[in-house]
Amino acid sequence: SLALQLADLGAPEGTLVVSESQKQGKGRLGRSWISQPETGIYMSLILRPTFVPIKAPCITFISAIAVVEAVNELLGVDARIKWPNDVMIHGKKTAGILTELRAEMESIHYVIVGIGVNVNNTHFPKALREKVTSLAVEHKEKVSRIKLLQALLRAFERWYLRVLNEQPGQTFERWRELSCTLGNLVEVNLGDESIRGVATRLEPNGSLYLKLDSGEERQILAGDVTMIARV
């Protein structure tokens, strides 16, 4: 919320808001993000990209790639991306990403990239214990949040500059390469219905394709994915 206010007031690209905790952390699809004090990274980054809004999905790709590469670089932990932008370790969610866009048809005013990472969290609500983890839990020791944030921002900048220099294809290929969704039987909650199928491909616009039992291939533009089994 603070980053949105700062962006409206003209804050420059690269302005970063980092919080030790949040009382109203936001997740995808209107959910809340639990922000335990002094344990995680809770950040919002202001961007003012010069490309057209149709290229905006690449910001989500960059954000997820940056988290994965930072975790792998710092800890050597094999993190992966669950479509569209959850970062997973051993099948459990470790980081979430939320992007908010202010744009007109032909131009982007600004993008806010919100990233939450469970870093040194050791206690989780009972309902989430089988679904979420933290870097400290997986790495078996406390992790420097400063070093992780530095690595994350370096990785983000590398990929962001590639997109600004007209190389968005590389970003999509890397995002796809890091996917842990492809090849899995998954269930996608679309709000008004749930469908189940094998995740067969990803597209540069960020969409996911499922092959249903009927043989039909279905394009998914937005939804909540649950991994069922490896095929």
Side-chain angles (χ1 to χ4, degrees), residues 117-193:
V117 186
N118 294 332
V119 183
N120 292 317
N121 315 55
T122 54
H123 301 289
F124 301 100
K126 191 174 181 180
L128 297 176
R129 284 175 195 162
E130 298 303 312
K131 299 178 181 179
V132 303
T133 187
S134 74
L135 299 182
V137 167
E138 299 300 326
H139 191 54
K140 306 292 192 284
E141 62 181 71
K142 194 172 181 179
V143 175
S144 167
R145 290 182 297 156
I146 290 290
K147 288 181 179 177
L148 181 66
L149 180 57
Q150 289 170 334
L152 194 165
L153 293 171
R154 283 194 299 266
F156 191 99
E157 185 175 62
R158 275 197 307 272
W159 287 100
Y160 185 58
L161 291 177
R162 286 180 187 179
V163 172
L164 293 181
N165 291 327
E166 299 298 324
Q167 297 174 320
Q170 292 181 10
T171 306
F172 167 68
E173 290 301 330
R174 181 62 171 150
W175 178 68
R176 183 167 63 180
E177 178 187 324
L178 293 171
S179 170
C180 63
T181 305
L182 288 176
N184 277 291
L185 176 64
V186 302
E187 185 170 272
V188 183
N189 183 344
L190 302 174
D192 55 348
E193 65 169 328

Side-chain angles (χ1 to χ4, degrees), residues 183-186 227-231:
N184 277 291
L185 176 64
V186 302
M227 315 279 267
I228 305 297
R230 190 79 186 170
V231 176

